């Protein structure tokens, strides 16, 4: 028994996936195709996709936003969790990678739930704000270039409704964030981001050691007490 989060052995991880993950055939097909790519490490783990789908259902999300789509696994997990009239706005810069996602979203019959917008994410987020979409999203997933996280978070938090949820990926960065000494640009950006989030009284916060580390920040409703 442990009162710290367990280190998962390979054996225990296989068990966790066997007993705790129900991946749809559409998600499995997309995961397998992506696994053959050289950048496959950018795909989230199946248990993380299922965890986020659970959160989306629990908060009754109808409008989701994603910064960083890659080949579309997290977008498909989100689309599966949304109600039929729910929508995900997915932001990415890569036509090549998102084309894989588009094909799988269509095969799953969920393409109409996903509004993919190609271009620099900060510009796309600002465009949503300019269109009057502040306080309108229920769930935001940030999983893009790490040096852009702080800006995506600030713009995204404006787009989120009070009580809405931000999920930020790779916050443990394979352990590098806690290693001694200076890190590379991505590591330093994540350290600064994690420091700022830890002190951010606009949100409730928990850092979950799933996948490469997932921080959950719930946008506080006006009048709620801070820590
Ligand atoms: Ca990631």
């Amino acid at each position: 028994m442990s009162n710290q989060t367990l280190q998962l052995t390979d054996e225990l991880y296989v068990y966790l996936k066997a007993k705790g993950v129900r991946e749809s055939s559409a998600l499995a097909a997309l995961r397998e195709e992506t696994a053959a790519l050289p950048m496959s490490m950018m795909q989230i783990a199946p248990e993380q996709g299922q965890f986020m789908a659970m959160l989306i259902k629990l908060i009754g999300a109808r409008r989701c936003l994603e910064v960083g789509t890659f080949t579309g696994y997290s977008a498909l997990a989100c689309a599966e969790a949304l109600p039929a009239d729910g929508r995900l706005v997915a932001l990415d810069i890569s036509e090549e990678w998102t084309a894989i996602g588009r094909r799988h979203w269509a095969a799953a019959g969920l393409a109409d739930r996903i509004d993919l917008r190609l271009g620099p994410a900060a510009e796309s987020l600002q465009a949503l704000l300019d269109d009057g979409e502040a306080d309108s999203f229920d769930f935001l997933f940030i999983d893009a270039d790490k040096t852009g996280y702080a800006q995506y978070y600030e713009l995204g938090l404006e787009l989120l409704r009070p009580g809405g949820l931000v999920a930020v990926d790779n916050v443990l960065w394979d352990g590098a964030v806690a290693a001694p000494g200076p890190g590379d640009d991505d590591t330093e950006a994540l350290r600064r981001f994690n420091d700022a989030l830890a002190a951010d009284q606009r949100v409730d916060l928990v850092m979950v050691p799933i996948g490469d580390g997932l921080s959950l920040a719930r946008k506080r409703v006006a009048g709620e007490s801070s820590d």
Side-chain angles (χ1 to χ4, degrees):
M1 196 182 298
S2 172
N3 63 2
Q4 285 192 5
T5 299
L6 279 180
Q7 302 290 312
L8 291 183
T9 60
D10 289 348
E11 180 182 64
L12 193 52
Y13 185 51
V14 168
Y15 184 87
L16 179 148
K17 285 193 287 187
K19 303 303 177 186
V21 178
R22 300 174 182 171
E23 188 177 53
S24 70
S25 56
L27 281 171
L30 177 48
R31 183 169 53 77
E32 282 160 24
E33 181 171 344
T34 304
L37 300 173
M39 318 242 318
S40 65
M41 289 295 288
M42 286 169 56
Q43 177 169 244
I44 64 169
E47 66 275 19
Q48 182 179 337
Q50 183 165 301
F51 180 60
M52 296 199 300
M54 177 76 83
L55 294 172
I56 285 164
K57 288 183 179 179
L58 282 172
I59 67 170
R62 309 183 78 80
R63 301 198 72 213
C64 295
L65 178 60
E66 172 178 86
V67 180
T69 296
F70 187 43
T71 60
Y73 186 94
S74 52
L76 183 55
C78 174
E80 286 184 348
L82 283 168
D85 63 346
R87 291 293 177 272
L88 166 69
V89 176
L91 310 181
D92 204 280
I93 53 171
S94 172
E95 173 81 50
E96 181 185 5
W97 299 134
T98 56
I100 296 170
R102 279 186 193 275
R103 181 158 39 80
H104 284 266
W105 303 339
L110 293 170
D112 61 344
R113 287 188 201 170
I114 304 173
D115 173 2
L116 176 66
R117 302 184 186 187
L118 294 178
E123 292 177 16
S124 299
L125 291 167
Q126 187 60 55
L128 287 166
L129 287 169
D130 293 343
D131 287 345
E133 309 247 14
D135 295 334
S136 72
F137 286 88
D138 304 297
F139 183 85
L140 163 65
F141 180 47
I142 299 176
D143 186 14
D145 55 299
K146 309 314 168 197
T147 53
Y149 268 26
Q151 189 178 23
Y152 306 148
Y153 174 76
E154 285 303 323
L155 293 167
L157 200 60
E158 285 187 60
L159 288 161
L160 209 67
R161 67 164 167 87
L165 190 65
V166 189
V168 187
D169 199 32
N170 300 107
V171 294
L172 294 178
W173 206 226
D174 204 23
V177 287
D184 62 15
D185 288 351
D186 288 341
T187 303
E188 292 300 327
L190 283 164
R191 285 173 172 170
R192 286 192 300 276
F193 178 79
N194 287 339
D195 287 348
L197 196 58
D200 189 344
Q201 294 301 313
R202 296 171 298 177
V203 296
D204 300 313
L205 176 67
V206 61
M207 187 184 270
V208 183
I210 190 170
D212 195 30
L214 184 72
S215 280
L216 301 180
R218 173 189 168 272
K219 184 174 177 179
R220 284 180 170 151
V221 177
E224 281 183 344
S225 62
S226 56
D227 296 333

